[in-house]
mmCIF file of all heavy atoms in Angstrom:
data_model
loop_
_atom_site.group_PDB
_atom_site.id
_atom_site.type_symbol
_atom_site.label_atom_id
_atom_site.label_comp_id
_atom_site.label_asym_id
_atom_site.label_seq_id
_atom_site.Cartn_x
_atom_site.Cartn_y
_atom_site.Cartn_z
ATOM 1 N N GLY A 1 0.810 -1.208 0.011
ATOM 2 C CA GLY A 1 0.019 0.003 0.018
ATOM 3 C C GLY A 1 0.879 1.259 -0.034
ATOM 4 O O GLY A 1 0.221 2.389 0.030
ATOM 5 N N LEU A 2 2.116 1.214 -0.014
ATOM 6 C CA LEU A 2 2.965 2.359 0.059
ATOM 7 C C LEU A 2 3.841 2.445 -1.241
ATOM 8 O O LEU A 2 4.515 1.469 -1.565
ATOM 9 C CB LEU A 2 3.876 2.350 1.265
ATOM 10 C CG LEU A 2 3.179 2.476 2.647
ATOM 11 C CD1 LEU A 2 4.183 2.276 3.703
ATOM 12 C CD2 LEU A 2 2.442 3.807 2.765
ATOM 13 N N PRO A 3 3.875 3.596 -1.931
ATOM 14 C CA PRO A 3 4.701 3.717 -3.078
ATOM 15 C C PRO A 3 6.166 3.704 -2.694
ATOM 16 O O PRO A 3 6.633 4.384 -1.715
ATOM 17 C CB PRO A 3 4.298 5.032 -3.723
ATOM 18 C CG PRO A 3 3.792 5.814 -2.651
ATOM 19 C CD PRO A 3 3.083 4.836 -1.643
ATOM 20 N N ILE A 4 7.012 2.994 -3.442
ATOM 21 C CA ILE A 4 8.523 2.949 -3.155
ATOM 22 C C ILE A 4 9.169 3.813 -4.234
ATOM 23 O O ILE A 4 9.263 3.340 -5.358
ATOM 24 C CB ILE A 4 9.060 1.451 -3.265
ATOM 25 C CG1 ILE A 4 8.177 0.595 -2.313
ATOM 26 C CG2 ILE A 4 10.400 1.460 -2.885
ATOM 27 C CD1 ILE A 4 8.202 0.978 -0.779
ATOM 28 N N GLU A 5 9.516 5.046 -3.875
ATOM 29 C CA GLU A 5 10.006 5.947 -4.837
ATOM 30 C C GLU A 5 11.258 5.479 -5.525
ATOM 31 O O GLU A 5 11.518 5.717 -6.740
ATOM 32 C CB GLU A 5 10.259 7.369 -4.237
ATOM 33 C CG GLU A 5 10.526 8.359 -5.208
ATOM 34 C CD GLU A 5 10.367 9.827 -4.587
ATOM 35 O OE1 GLU A 5 10.035 9.943 -3.410
ATOM 36 O OE2 GLU A 5 10.629 10.836 -5.287
ATOM 37 N N SER A 6 12.166 4.844 -4.784
ATOM 38 C CA SER A 6 13.459 4.360 -5.402
ATOM 39 C C SER A 6 13.286 3.322 -6.430
ATOM 40 O O SER A 6 14.125 3.104 -7.295
ATOM 41 C CB SER A 6 14.381 3.820 -4.311
ATOM 42 O OG SER A 6 13.796 2.692 -3.658
ATOM 43 N N LYS A 7 12.042 2.699 -6.491
ATOM 44 C CA LYS A 7 11.801 1.638 -7.520
ATOM 45 C C LYS A 7 10.788 2.131 -8.560
ATOM 46 O O LYS A 7 10.210 1.347 -9.303
ATOM 47 C CB LYS A 7 11.281 0.352 -6.879
ATOM 48 C CG LYS A 7 12.327 -0.372 -5.993
ATOM 49 C CD LYS A 7 11.723 -1.611 -5.452
ATOM 50 C CE LYS A 7 12.789 -2.392 -4.644
ATOM 51 N NZ LYS A 7 12.260 -3.696 -4.188
ATOM 52 N N SER A 8 10.475 3.445 -8.605
ATOM 53 C CA SER A 8 9.470 3.971 -9.498
ATOM 54 C C SER A 8 10.229 4.807 -10.543
ATOM 55 O O SER A 8 11.115 5.538 -10.190
ATOM 56 C CB SER A 8 8.436 4.855 -8.683
ATOM 57 O OG SER A 8 7.810 4.095 -7.668
ATOM 58 N N ILE A 9 9.739 4.662 -11.732
ATOM 59 C CA ILE A 9 10.513 5.356 -12.852
ATOM 60 C C ILE A 9 9.572 6.010 -13.868
ATOM 61 O O ILE A 9 8.348 5.696 -13.782
ATOM 62 C CB ILE A 9 11.427 4.286 -13.509
ATOM 63 C CG1 ILE A 9 10.480 3.221 -14.189
ATOM 64 C CG2 ILE A 9 12.477 3.742 -12.662
ATOM 65 C CD1 ILE A 9 11.235 2.245 -15.104
ATOM 66 N N THR A 10 10.113 6.765 -14.696
ATOM 67 C CA THR A 10 9.353 7.303 -15.882
ATOM 68 C C THR A 10 10.104 6.858 -17.116
ATOM 69 O O THR A 10 11.354 6.998 -17.189
ATOM 70 C CB THR A 10 9.326 8.842 -15.795
ATOM 71 O OG1 THR A 10 8.500 9.267 -14.692
ATOM 72 C CG2 THR A 10 8.638 9.334 -17.145
ATOM 73 N N VAL A 11 9.349 6.238 -18.037
ATOM 74 C CA VAL A 11 9.903 5.733 -19.249
ATOM 75 C C VAL A 11 9.579 6.653 -20.444
ATOM 76 O O VAL A 11 8.382 6.991 -20.568
ATOM 77 C CB VAL A 11 9.441 4.247 -19.536
ATOM 78 C CG1 VAL A 11 10.006 3.708 -20.817
ATOM 79 C CG2 VAL A 11 9.799 3.315 -18.366
ATOM 80 N N GLU A 12 10.490 6.913 -21.301
ATOM 81 C CA GLU A 12 10.223 7.790 -22.495
ATOM 82 C C GLU A 12 9.522 7.113 -23.611
ATOM 83 O O GLU A 12 10.082 7.057 -24.722
ATOM 84 C CB GLU A 12 11.544 8.460 -22.929
ATOM 85 C CG GLU A 12 12.219 9.382 -21.844
ATOM 86 C CD GLU A 12 11.307 10.555 -21.471
ATOM 87 O OE1 GLU A 12 10.671 11.084 -22.402
ATOM 88 O OE2 GLU A 12 11.301 10.922 -20.339
ATOM 89 N N LYS A 13 8.517 6.310 -23.314
ATOM 90 C CA LYS A 13 7.740 5.699 -24.345
ATOM 91 C C LYS A 13 6.255 5.934 -24.020
ATOM 92 O O LYS A 13 5.798 5.735 -22.880
ATOM 93 C CB LYS A 13 7.993 4.178 -24.317
ATOM 94 C CG LYS A 13 9.368 3.758 -24.734
ATOM 95 C CD LYS A 13 9.590 2.254 -24.785
ATOM 96 C CE LYS A 13 10.950 1.916 -25.267
ATOM 97 N NZ LYS A 13 11.213 0.429 -25.307
ATOM 98 N N ALA A 14 5.544 6.413 -25.027
ATOM 99 C CA ALA A 14 4.137 6.855 -24.793
ATOM 100 C C ALA A 14 3.339 6.961 -26.050
ATOM 101 O O ALA A 14 3.903 6.836 -27.143
ATOM 102 C CB ALA A 14 4.103 8.134 -24.000
ATOM 103 N N MET A 15 2.087 7.285 -25.946
ATOM 104 C CA MET A 15 1.148 7.067 -27.069
ATOM 105 C C MET A 15 1.460 8.147 -28.170
ATOM 106 O O MET A 15 1.400 7.693 -29.398
ATOM 107 C CB MET A 15 -0.280 7.356 -26.561
ATOM 108 C CG MET A 15 -0.813 6.215 -25.759
ATOM 109 S SD MET A 15 -0.838 4.622 -26.668
ATOM 110 C CE MET A 15 -1.826 5.022 -28.054
ATOM 111 N N VAL A 16 1.755 9.382 -27.943
ATOM 112 C CA VAL A 16 1.927 10.347 -29.017
ATOM 113 C C VAL A 16 3.143 9.895 -29.833
ATOM 114 O O VAL A 16 3.156 10.010 -31.087
ATOM 115 C CB VAL A 16 2.052 11.755 -28.507
ATOM 116 C CG1 VAL A 16 2.460 12.718 -29.532
ATOM 117 C CG2 VAL A 16 0.778 12.279 -27.881
ATOM 118 N N LYS A 17 4.246 9.596 -29.152
ATOM 119 C CA LYS A 17 5.474 9.180 -29.860
ATOM 120 C C LYS A 17 5.140 7.899 -30.747
ATOM 121 O O LYS A 17 5.625 7.731 -31.794
ATOM 122 C CB LYS A 17 6.560 8.861 -28.811
ATOM 123 C CG LYS A 17 7.897 8.451 -29.588
ATOM 124 C CD LYS A 17 8.942 8.251 -28.464
ATOM 125 C CE LYS A 17 10.279 7.931 -29.139
ATOM 126 N NZ LYS A 17 11.315 7.646 -28.130
ATOM 127 N N TRP A 18 4.385 6.946 -30.109
ATOM 128 C CA TRP A 18 4.059 5.719 -30.846
ATOM 129 C C TRP A 18 3.251 6.026 -32.111
ATOM 130 O O TRP A 18 3.484 5.443 -33.146
ATOM 131 C CB TRP A 18 3.270 4.810 -29.894
ATOM 132 C CG TRP A 18 4.155 4.171 -28.913
ATOM 133 C CD1 TRP A 18 5.508 4.088 -28.820
ATOM 134 C CD2 TRP A 18 3.698 3.424 -27.724
ATOM 135 N NE1 TRP A 18 5.919 3.441 -27.736
ATOM 136 C CE2 TRP A 18 4.902 2.995 -27.011
ATOM 137 C CE3 TRP A 18 2.445 3.073 -27.290
ATOM 138 C CZ2 TRP A 18 4.760 2.259 -25.868
ATOM 139 C CZ3 TRP A 18 2.401 2.370 -26.110
ATOM 140 C CH2 TRP A 18 3.558 1.877 -25.404
ATOM 141 N N MET A 19 2.189 7.043 -31.901
ATOM 142 C CA MET A 19 1.429 7.368 -33.065
ATOM 143 C C MET A 19 2.222 7.924 -34.204
ATOM 144 O O MET A 19 2.068 7.557 -35.430
ATOM 145 C CB MET A 19 0.334 8.328 -32.647
ATOM 146 C CG MET A 19 -0.750 7.825 -31.674
ATOM 147 S SD MET A 19 -1.741 6.440 -32.407
ATOM 148 C CE MET A 19 -1.040 5.055 -31.582
ATOM 149 N N LYS A 20 3.236 8.753 -33.857
ATOM 150 C CA LYS A 20 4.119 9.326 -34.863
ATOM 151 C C LYS A 20 4.951 8.379 -35.586
ATOM 152 O O LYS A 20 5.171 8.293 -36.793
ATOM 153 C CB LYS A 20 5.043 10.438 -34.224
ATOM 154 C CG LYS A 20 4.268 11.625 -33.730
ATOM 155 C CD LYS A 20 3.517 12.403 -34.845
ATOM 156 C CE LYS A 20 2.847 13.611 -34.369
ATOM 157 N NZ LYS A 20 1.949 14.263 -35.475
ATOM 158 N N GLU A 21 5.518 7.366 -34.744
ATOM 159 C CA GLU A 21 6.307 6.306 -35.339
ATOM 160 C C GLU A 21 5.453 5.455 -36.225
ATOM 161 O O GLU A 21 5.945 5.017 -37.329
ATOM 162 C CB GLU A 21 6.927 5.473 -34.240
ATOM 163 C CG GLU A 21 8.021 6.284 -33.449
ATOM 164 C CD GLU A 21 8.537 5.523 -32.250
ATOM 165 O OE1 GLU A 21 7.915 4.536 -31.839
ATOM 166 O OE2 GLU A 21 9.515 5.935 -31.699
ATOM 167 N N ILE A 22 4.242 5.112 -35.837
ATOM 168 C CA ILE A 22 3.387 4.320 -36.752
ATOM 169 C C ILE A 22 3.003 5.023 -38.056
ATOM 170 O O ILE A 22 3.022 4.398 -39.006
ATOM 171 C CB ILE A 22 2.105 3.888 -35.892
ATOM 172 C CG1 ILE A 22 2.496 2.873 -34.845
ATOM 173 C CG2 ILE A 22 1.035 3.332 -36.806
ATOM 174 C CD1 ILE A 22 1.407 2.530 -33.876
ATOM 175 N N GLN A 23 2.719 6.334 -37.850
ATOM 176 C CA GLN A 23 2.426 7.121 -39.089
ATOM 177 C C GLN A 23 3.637 7.052 -40.070
ATOM 178 O O GLN A 23 3.385 6.849 -41.288
ATOM 179 C CB GLN A 23 2.081 8.517 -38.751
ATOM 180 C CG GLN A 23 0.703 8.761 -38.137
ATOM 181 C CD GLN A 23 0.499 10.176 -37.714
ATOM 182 O OE1 GLN A 23 1.051 10.725 -36.825
ATOM 183 N NE2 GLN A 23 -0.333 10.851 -38.529
ATOM 184 N N HIS A 24 4.830 7.215 -39.567
ATOM 185 C CA HIS A 24 6.025 7.186 -40.412
ATOM 186 C C HIS A 24 6.166 5.795 -41.064
ATOM 187 O O HIS A 24 6.439 5.669 -42.217
ATOM 188 C CB HIS A 24 7.232 7.496 -39.510
ATOM 189 C CG HIS A 24 8.496 7.343 -40.271
ATOM 190 N ND1 HIS A 24 8.978 8.249 -41.278
ATOM 191 C CD2 HIS A 24 9.444 6.380 -40.233
ATOM 192 C CE1 HIS A 24 10.091 7.796 -41.701
ATOM 193 N NE2 HIS A 24 10.451 6.642 -41.114
ATOM 194 N N GLU A 25 6.023 4.693 -40.158
ATOM 195 C CA GLU A 25 6.147 3.339 -40.756
ATOM 196 C C GLU A 25 5.094 3.058 -41.775
ATOM 197 O O GLU A 25 5.365 2.376 -42.836
ATOM 198 C CB GLU A 25 6.087 2.353 -39.670
ATOM 199 C CG GLU A 25 6.425 0.977 -40.024
ATOM 200 C CD GLU A 25 7.836 0.769 -40.608
ATOM 201 O OE1 GLU A 25 8.727 1.585 -40.245
ATOM 202 O OE2 GLU A 25 7.996 -0.139 -41.505
ATOM 203 N N MET A 26 3.813 3.537 -41.574
ATOM 204 C CA MET A 26 2.763 3.367 -42.478
ATOM 205 C C MET A 26 3.079 4.088 -43.833
ATOM 206 O O MET A 26 2.796 3.545 -44.929
ATOM 207 C CB MET A 26 1.462 3.813 -41.977
ATOM 208 C CG MET A 26 0.898 2.937 -40.920
ATOM 209 S SD MET A 26 0.486 1.267 -41.332
ATOM 210 C CE MET A 26 -0.961 1.586 -42.509
ATOM 211 N N LYS A 27 3.681 5.245 -43.746
ATOM 212 C CA LYS A 27 4.128 5.978 -44.883
ATOM 213 C C LYS A 27 5.151 5.163 -45.734
ATOM 214 O O LYS A 27 5.113 5.094 -46.960
ATOM 215 C CB LYS A 27 4.684 7.328 -44.596
ATOM 216 C CG LYS A 27 5.297 8.115 -45.618
ATOM 217 C CD LYS A 27 4.291 8.709 -46.607
ATOM 218 C CE LYS A 27 4.947 9.623 -47.647
ATOM 219 N NZ LYS A 27 3.995 10.176 -48.610
ATOM 220 N N VAL A 28 6.071 4.546 -45.005
ATOM 221 C CA VAL A 28 7.157 3.655 -45.603
ATOM 222 C C VAL A 28 6.503 2.495 -46.363
ATOM 223 O O VAL A 28 6.799 2.202 -47.465
ATOM 224 C CB VAL A 28 8.200 3.338 -44.657
ATOM 225 C CG1 VAL A 28 9.078 2.280 -45.200
ATOM 226 C CG2 VAL A 28 8.962 4.482 -44.007
ATOM 227 N N GLN A 29 5.609 1.866 -45.591
ATOM 228 C CA GLN A 29 5.034 0.573 -46.163
ATOM 229 C C GLN A 29 3.941 0.790 -47.210
ATOM 230 O O GLN A 29 3.719 -0.097 -48.084
ATOM 231 C CB GLN A 29 4.475 -0.259 -44.945
ATOM 232 C CG GLN A 29 5.571 -0.781 -44.044
ATOM 233 C CD GLN A 29 5.024 -1.922 -43.195
ATOM 234 O OE1 GLN A 29 4.189 -2.684 -43.532
ATOM 235 N NE2 GLN A 29 5.619 -1.943 -41.965
ATOM 236 N N THR A 30 3.120 1.875 -47.122
ATOM 237 C CA THR A 30 2.052 2.013 -47.992
ATOM 238 C C THR A 30 2.151 3.250 -48.943
ATOM 239 O O THR A 30 1.422 3.354 -49.899
ATOM 240 C CB THR A 30 0.682 2.148 -47.147
ATOM 241 O OG1 THR A 30 0.708 3.416 -46.477
ATOM 242 C CG2 THR A 30 0.557 1.037 -46.138
ATOM 243 N N GLY A 31 2.988 4.134 -48.592
ATOM 244 C CA GLY A 31 3.111 5.358 -49.390
ATOM 245 C C GLY A 31 2.113 6.325 -49.097
ATOM 246 O O GLY A 31 1.907 7.325 -49.788
ATOM 247 N N LYS A 32 1.296 6.113 -48.067
ATOM 248 C CA LYS A 32 0.082 6.959 -47.745
ATOM 249 C C LYS A 32 0.306 7.685 -46.452
ATOM 250 O O LYS A 32 0.927 7.181 -45.484
ATOM 251 C CB LYS A 32 -1.112 6.139 -47.609
ATOM 252 C CG LYS A 32 -1.513 5.317 -48.842
ATOM 253 C CD LYS A 32 -1.872 6.186 -50.088
ATOM 254 C CE LYS A 32 -2.270 5.267 -51.248
ATOM 255 N NZ LYS A 32 -2.619 6.099 -52.454
ATOM 256 N N GLU A 33 -0.193 8.936 -46.369
ATOM 257 C CA GLU A 33 -0.197 9.764 -45.106
ATOM 258 C C GLU A 33 -1.463 9.284 -44.370
ATOM 259 O O GLU A 33 -2.525 9.640 -44.781
ATOM 260 C CB GLU A 33 -0.127 11.170 -45.436
ATOM 261 C CG GLU A 33 1.143 11.704 -46.224
ATOM 262 C CD GLU A 33 2.246 11.847 -45.245
ATOM 263 O OE1 GLU A 33 2.145 11.633 -44.041
ATOM 264 O OE2 GLU A 33 3.388 12.246 -45.722
ATOM 265 N N ILE A 34 -1.302 8.701 -43.206
ATOM 266 C CA ILE A 34 -2.482 8.234 -42.385
ATOM 267 C C ILE A 34 -2.633 9.256 -41.272
ATOM 268 O O ILE A 34 -1.723 9.454 -40.437
ATOM 269 C CB ILE A 34 -2.247 6.795 -41.846
ATOM 270 C CG1 ILE A 34 -1.787 5.855 -42.953
ATOM 271 C CG2 ILE A 34 -3.540 6.370 -41.187
ATOM 272 C CD1 ILE A 34 -2.785 5.657 -44.041
ATOM 273 N N PRO A 35 -3.731 9.925 -41.204
ATOM 274 C CA PRO A 35 -4.062 10.798 -40.106
ATOM 275 C C PRO A 35 -3.952 10.179 -38.748
ATOM 276 O O PRO A 35 -4.368 9.013 -38.592
ATOM 277 C CB PRO A 35 -5.452 11.356 -40.390
ATOM 278 C CG PRO A 35 -5.692 11.129 -41.827
ATOM 279 C CD PRO A 35 -5.013 9.820 -42.092
ATOM 280 N N GLU A 36 -3.463 10.993 -37.834
ATOM 281 C CA GLU A 36 -3.368 10.484 -36.442
ATOM 282 C C GLU A 36 -4.645 9.884 -35.851
ATOM 283 O O GLU A 36 -4.729 8.904 -35.229
ATOM 284 C CB GLU A 36 -2.794 11.502 -35.497
ATOM 285 C CG GLU A 36 -2.568 11.015 -34.094
ATOM 286 C CD GLU A 36 -1.937 12.116 -33.237
ATOM 287 O OE1 GLU A 36 -0.766 12.497 -33.454
ATOM 288 O OE2 GLU A 36 -2.539 12.553 -32.245
ATOM 289 N N HIS A 37 -5.798 10.601 -36.166
ATOM 290 C CA HIS A 37 -7.115 10.199 -35.601
ATOM 291 C C HIS A 37 -7.514 8.894 -36.204
ATOM 292 O O HIS A 37 -8.204 8.032 -35.596
ATOM 293 C CB HIS A 37 -8.191 11.210 -35.819
ATOM 294 C CG HIS A 37 -8.565 11.543 -37.205
ATOM 295 N ND1 HIS A 37 -7.938 12.431 -38.022
ATOM 296 C CD2 HIS A 37 -9.501 10.961 -37.948
ATOM 297 C CE1 HIS A 37 -8.448 12.427 -39.238
ATOM 298 N NE2 HIS A 37 -9.454 11.571 -39.166
ATOM 299 N N GLU A 38 -7.127 8.592 -37.426
ATOM 300 C CA GLU A 38 -7.457 7.211 -38.016
ATOM 301 C C GLU A 38 -6.555 6.170 -37.373
ATOM 302 O O GLU A 38 -7.067 5.046 -37.201
ATOM 303 C CB GLU A 38 -7.266 7.335 -39.580
ATOM 304 C CG GLU A 38 -8.344 8.122 -40.320
ATOM 305 C CD GLU A 38 -9.702 7.475 -40.224
ATOM 306 O OE1 GLU A 38 -9.857 6.289 -39.918
ATOM 307 O OE2 GLU A 38 -10.704 8.188 -40.418
ATOM 308 N N VAL A 39 -5.326 6.431 -37.164
ATOM 309 C CA VAL A 39 -4.464 5.487 -36.502
ATOM 310 C C VAL A 39 -5.005 5.172 -35.104
ATOM 311 O O VAL A 39 -5.110 3.981 -34.616
ATOM 312 C CB VAL A 39 -2.982 6.049 -36.323
ATOM 313 C CG1 VAL A 39 -2.123 5.069 -35.527
ATOM 314 C CG2 VAL A 39 -2.453 6.308 -37.700
ATOM 315 N N MET A 40 -5.551 6.208 -34.386
ATOM 316 C CA MET A 40 -6.052 5.966 -33.091
ATOM 317 C C MET A 40 -7.328 5.160 -33.111
ATOM 318 O O MET A 40 -7.522 4.323 -32.258
ATOM 319 C CB MET A 40 -6.307 7.346 -32.403
ATOM 320 C CG MET A 40 -6.723 7.200 -30.980
ATOM 321 S SD MET A 40 -5.553 6.389 -29.864
ATOM 322 C CE MET A 40 -4.250 7.733 -29.774
ATOM 323 N N LYS A 41 -8.215 5.409 -34.155
ATOM 324 C CA LYS A 41 -9.440 4.619 -34.286
ATOM 325 C C LYS A 41 -9.084 3.093 -34.474
ATOM 326 O O LYS A 41 -9.710 2.273 -33.911
ATOM 327 C CB LYS A 41 -10.197 5.102 -35.491
ATOM 328 C CG LYS A 41 -10.980 6.389 -35.215
ATOM 329 C CD LYS A 41 -11.717 6.792 -36.469
ATOM 330 C CE LYS A 41 -12.508 8.131 -36.348
ATOM 331 N NZ LYS A 41 -13.213 8.522 -37.546
ATOM 332 N N ALA A 42 -8.105 2.890 -35.254
ATOM 333 C CA ALA A 42 -7.652 1.499 -35.554
ATOM 334 C C ALA A 42 -7.080 0.842 -34.251
ATOM 335 O O ALA A 42 -7.409 -0.265 -33.902
ATOM 336 C CB ALA A 42 -6.608 1.413 -36.626
#
């Protein structure tokens, strides 16, 4: 029930960065610009 600060971390991986990386990879694989909102719907 108590948070242990020495074992708690922040990782530089998250949704906006992932969405941008997926958009870039989709551009490479399909040649199409996929809007972020369509990526999120999927």
Side-chain angles (χ1 to χ4, degrees):
L2 295 174
I4 308 300
E5 190 165 356
S6 62
K7 293 185 177 182
S8 301
I9 61 172
T10 295
V11 178
E12 297 298 322
K13 294 183 177 180
M15 288 303 301
V16 172
K17 183 178 180 180
W18 288 347
M19 292 297 105
K20 293 298 182 186
E21 291 173 348
I22 289 172
Q23 284 179 289
H24 174 73
E25 187 60 28
M26 289 297 290
K27 173 70 171 178
V28 171
Q29 294 196 31
T30 69
K32 305 293 185 182
E33 298 280 357
I34 310 298
E36 184 178 293
H37 67 271
E38 289 292 341
V39 175
M40 187 60 73
K41 285 181 183 178

